[in-house]
Amino acid sequence: MPDPGIAPIVTLTDAAKHFGAVRALDGVSLTISPGECLGLVGHNGAGKSTLVNVVNGGLAPSGGEVTFHGGTDALGAGVRSVFQELSLCPNLTAAENLRIAHGGLKGPGWRRRARAEIRESLDTVFPGHGIDPGAEVDRLSIAERQMVEIAIGFAPRDTPARLVILDEPTSSLDAGIADQLLDHIARFCAGGGAVVFITHMMGEIFRVATRIIVLKDGRVVADHGASDFTRTGLVDAMGHVAAEDAAELSERRTGDEIVRTEDGLAACEGEIVGLSGLAGHGQAEALARLYLGETSAWRSRAVPPMVFVAGDRGRDGLLPLWSILRNMSISILRQGARWGLVDRAAEAKIGDEWKRRIGIRTDDVTNPIMSLSGGNQQKVLFARALASEARVVVMDDPMRGVDVGTKQDVYAMIRAEAASGRTFLWYSTETEEVCQCDRVFVYRAGRISAELTGADITEERILEASFEMQEAS
Amino acid sequence: MSVLSKPWIWAWLAALVTFAATIGLTSGRGTGELAYAALSFGAFAAIVGMGQMLVITLGPGNVDLSIPAVMTLSATLALKAMGSEPGTALMGLGVALAVGIGAGIANYALIFLLRLPPIIATLAASLVYQSLAIWSNRGLRIRPPEGLADFATGRMLGLPNVAWVGLVIAVVLWAVLERSIWGRWLLASGQNMRAARLAGIPVELVRATTYLVVAALAGLAGYLLASFSGGAALNMGAEYLLTSIAVVVIGGTSIAGGYSNVPGVWGAALFMFLVVSMLNSYGAGAGVRSVLTGAIIIGIVIAASTRRLRT
C-alpha cells in the first residue's frame, strides 16, 4: 500500500479519450505512487493501451487532467513505457536503440557508453542474458528483442525511471526469463519505483501486483489491493462469463496420421498437437517449414491442405491497407467462387458470421483492420484460418495479446473443431495452453527433445525436456 | 468519402486545369483537336502505364524497366512479319503479343531463377531486347499495312480507336482488380508478401502473371504506336520509361505496393500529354519545358499523397 506521506508520481482526474465516436477512455481517475505495482487487466479493447498512452504522455486526453508530480511532462517525471508491439529499430544495435531514448548520450565515444549502460541494465534485469549490446536488433530473437526493450525501459537514461509501464512484457518470454522480470519488478518497487503491469496471465498479476485495476469499456470497474481479489473474482470483474475450464479432457479418438515431417513432428486427424520448450528453440521455424512445404507458391487449391495462424501479426499476418472483412476472407476466396470472381455476398455473410462467433469488437467489418486493437486483430487472423475448410491448422503462438475470455472461447472452438476431425499444430509459449493438447513435442536447440502424451503432459515434464540435453551436448 | 479524397481526382483535376490553360490561350479555338490529340497520344501512355501499375502494386522493388525495349522489339518484329501486306494485321498483333509475352517470361525467369532485383533484371534484359530490335531492323523502315494504319489513326463515335483500346483494357483491369480473386491476390501480395504466402496465396504465380501482363501490354502498345506513326523506329519507346512510371505515381497508385488505381492512370496519361502541349503553346523552350514538367509532376504527387486516405 502506498505511503500517504510520499507524493504520487502521476495523477489522473476524470481523464477521457475519444477517437471519433469511440470512447476508448471514459473518465478515469487514478493515482500512482512510488512503491506500487499496479496490475492493469481488462478485455481486448477495454482501453488498457489508451490508458497507458495517456499516462505516458503519448496521447493528450480529450477531457479531464493528467498531472505529473516529479516534472512538467511524462519524460521529466521519469515515466517510461515498454510496449507489447515491439518498437525497436531493427537495423540499429541494442545500444543505438538506447540512444534514441537517452538524449544525453552524445559526443565522441557515446556508443561505448551506450553499450555499457544497456549491458548493465540487462545484467540487472536478466542476469545471464547472453545478449551482445553491439548486435543489430534484427539478428535477435523476438524474446531477446523484448528483453532489450525492457532493459531500455529500466535503464538510468537522462532522468532515473520512477514509473515503468509494461504492456504485456512476458507474452513472448519463456517462463524462466519471465521469472527474472517479475523478480526485478518486485525489487524495483521495493526500492521506491512504481510499475504498471499489463498482462493476460493471471498468475503473474497475483505474483507481483500490490494493487489491481480492472478496466471495462473505458472505465475503472474495480480498484483494490491485490489480496482482495481471487482469480475467479478477477475474471468476473472483467465481465466475461468464462466457460468453466474443461480440465477433464475426455479421451478423444484420433484418426490416421496425416502429418509427419523428417524431424519427427507428427499429427493425426482430429488431434491437437502442441509444440513447446523455451522460446526461440526452433518451434516457429519447424511450423513455417511444415506449412511452406505443404503449400505451394505456384498453385492454389480451392480448399488448401493447411492454414496458418500467425502470432507475429505485423510480419506474418496482417494486410494493413485492407478492411477487416478482406483480411478475414483472403484464404477462403476460392471456396465456391465462379469464373475466378469473388462472391461478395458469400464473403459478407461469412464476415458477419465470424464477427459474431469470435466476437470482434467493431460495428462494421468494412472498417480498416488497423482500427482494431491488437487482440481483436488476432481474432481476425483466427477467423481467417477457421473459416476455411482446411484439414490442418498450424498456429504459431497465436494467443499473444488475446484476453482471458477470448482465449477460453478460442480453446472451446479448437476443441470442437478437433472433435469434428480437424488437426491442430499449436506452438505456444504458455505451458498452460500446451497442457490442453493431446500430444506435445518439446523442442530444444532446434530439435525435438521429447514427445509427451496423455498424463505425461505436465509442466514439470516439459521443463525437464526443455533443459535435459544441455549437459549431453 | 468525399470526392477530394479519391486518389485519382488529382490527376484528372490537373489534366483539366492544363487543358483549360491551353485553350485559354487560343480563346477556345482548337478545343476538339487538342482533346482528340490528348486521347490519341495519352492512350499509349495509359496502356503501358496500366501494366506498370500492376507491377508496382506488387510492392517495393518491383518495376519493369524493359517496357521501351519491349515496345520497340515487338513493333519491329510485327511490322517485319507483316511486310506491309494487306490482311496481315491480326497475324502482326499475334507476333507483337507473343514477343511481349516471351519478354515477360524472360524477365520473370531472371528475377525468379537468378534472384536478381527486378530493376536490374529488366534493365539488363532490355539491353538484349533493344539489340535484337537493332539487329532485325537493320535500318529498314517498313510501313504498316494500309488497313492497320487506317485503324490506328481512325476514330469511332468521335473518339480515337487507340483510345477505345485503352478504355477496354482499363475496364477489364478495373474489373480484375476490384472483383476477381487474382486481383485480391495481387493486392494482398503487394501489402505483405510473406503474410500473403502464409495466407495461402500462390505469390509466385501472381508475380509471374504480372510480369507477363505488363510485357504483353508493352508489346500491344508498341504494335499500335508503330501502326499509328507509320512504322517502327528504334527510339520509339524511349519516352515511355519515365512516362510509364510517372502516370502510375501521379495517378494515385501506392508506390509502397498493395493499392492500384486504374482511373488515375488514364487521368495522368492525359495530363502528361497536355502539360507538354500547354508549355509548347506558351512558347517555352525545350529546357524550360523539361524543368517545368518535372516541377509540375512533383507538385501533383505531393498533392495527391498528402490528401490520400488509406482505405
Side-chain angles (χ1 to χ4, degrees), chain A residues 291-292 295-300 308 314-322 326 329-331 333-334 337 340-342 344 347 384, chain B residues 108 112 178-182 184-185 187-188 191-192 194-205 208 257-259 310-311:
Chain A
Y291 178 83
L292 294 177
T295 56
S296 163
W298 285 98
R299 261 173 338 121
S300 131
F308 188 91
R315 191 188 66 171
D316 296 345
L318 295 180
L319 301 167
L321 302 183
W322 270 359
R326 283 191 169 201
S329 66
I330 186 66
S331 296
L333 294 176
R334 289 199 56 193
L341 297 180
V342 176
R344 298 203 296 169
E347 185 188 20
R384 180 193 284 177
Chain B
Y108 186 69
F112 181 70
E178 291 291 318
R179 295 282 186 269
S180 80
I181 293 175
W182 189 85
R184 290 278 181 97
W185 284 350
L187 296 172
Q191 292 175 59
N192 185 339
R194 182 177 163 88
R197 174 72 178 85
L198 291 173
I201 295 174
V203 288
E204 289 304 339
L205 177 70
Y259 180 82
R310 295 195 135 191
T311 50

Side-chain angles (χ1 to χ4, degrees), chain A residues 201-379:
Chain A
M201 294 181 216
M202 293 295 135
E204 294 179 352
I205 287 274
F206 282 104
R207 194 169 134 195
V208 293
T210 54
R211 180 176 150 207
I212 297 177
I213 286 185
V214 183
L215 271 186
K216 191 184 166 196
D217 298 329
R219 291 172 164 280
V220 174
V221 292
D223 178 357
H224 306 292
S227 49
D228 297 347
F229 283 102
T230 59
R231 269 179 189 237
T232 41
L234 194 52
V235 173
D236 286 346
M238 285 162 64
H240 196 279
V241 194
E244 196 45 51
D245 205 74
E248 68 291 354
L249 259 180
S250 52
E251 197 62 28
R252 283 187 298 104
R253 282 220 314 265
T254 53
D256 300 334
E257 185 168 282
I258 63 169
V259 173
R260 172 156 292 274
T261 66
E262 279 177 15
D263 45 2
L265 188 61
C268 300
E269 272 176 29
E271 195 178 24
I272 305 176
V273 172
L275 282 77
S276 188
L278 300 177
H281 274 254
Q283 302 93 331
E285 290 78 1
L287 286 182
R289 252 197 328 274
L290 171 67
Y291 178 83
L292 294 177
E294 288 288 319
T295 56
S296 163
W298 285 98
R299 261 173 338 121
S300 131
R301 288 187 235 166
V303 176
M306 214 176 252
V307 285
F308 188 91
V309 183
D312 190 337
R313 290 187 292 273
R315 191 188 66 171
D316 296 345
L318 295 180
L319 301 167
L321 302 183
W322 270 359
S323 65
I324 298 163
L325 179 60
R326 283 191 169 201
N327 264 283
M328 204 191 287
S329 66
I330 186 66
S331 296
I332 52 165
L333 294 176
R334 289 199 56 193
Q335 293 179 12
R338 281 194 191 175
W339 305 105
L341 297 180
V342 176
D343 182 348
R344 298 203 296 169
E347 185 188 20
K349 208 172 126 228
I350 286 171
D352 283 337
E353 184 194 328
W354 280 93
K355 169 174 145 38
R356 192 174 39 75
R357 272 185 72 178
I358 208 162
I360 296 163
R361 286 176 68 110
T362 181
D363 34 317
D364 190 344
V365 285
T366 59
N367 285 337
I369 184 84
M370 299 315 272
S371 70
L372 295 179
S373 68
N376 276 292
Q377 291 172 357
Q378 192 65 52
K379 292 186 200 172

Side-chain angles (χ1 to χ4, degrees), chain A residues 89-113:
Chain A
C89 303
N91 56 334
L92 303 181
T93 66
E96 286 163 349
N97 270 289
L98 169 71
R99 165 63 184 81
I100 295 172
H102 184 172
L105 279 173
K106 50 186 157 202
W110 68 265
R111 275 201 175 76
R112 189 175 39 75
R113 278 178 281 134

Side-chain angles (χ1 to χ4, degrees), chain A residues 103-155:
Chain A
L105 279 173
K106 50 186 157 202
W110 68 265
R111 275 201 175 76
R112 189 175 39 75
R113 278 178 281 134
R115 275 199 296 273
E117 183 176 335
I118 187 76
R119 181 178 296 123
E120 193 188 328
S121 182
L122 275 168
D123 288 344
T124 319
V125 187
F126 304 108
H129 53 83
I131 299 174
D132 171 12
E136 274 159 27
V137 166
D138 58 5
R139 284 168 39 207
L140 303 177
S141 72
I142 277 212
E144 288 172 328
R145 288 183 208 188
Q146 184 73 62
M147 288 158 72
V148 168
E149 203 158 332
I150 293 168
I152 291 176
F154 282 105

Side-chain angles (χ1 to χ4, degrees), chain B residues 67-87:
Chain B
I67 286 177
V70 174
M71 287 172 75
T72 310
L73 180 62
S74 56
T76 309
L77 294 183
L79 287 188
K80 205 173 170 186
M82 291 187 288
S84 308
E85 297 290 326

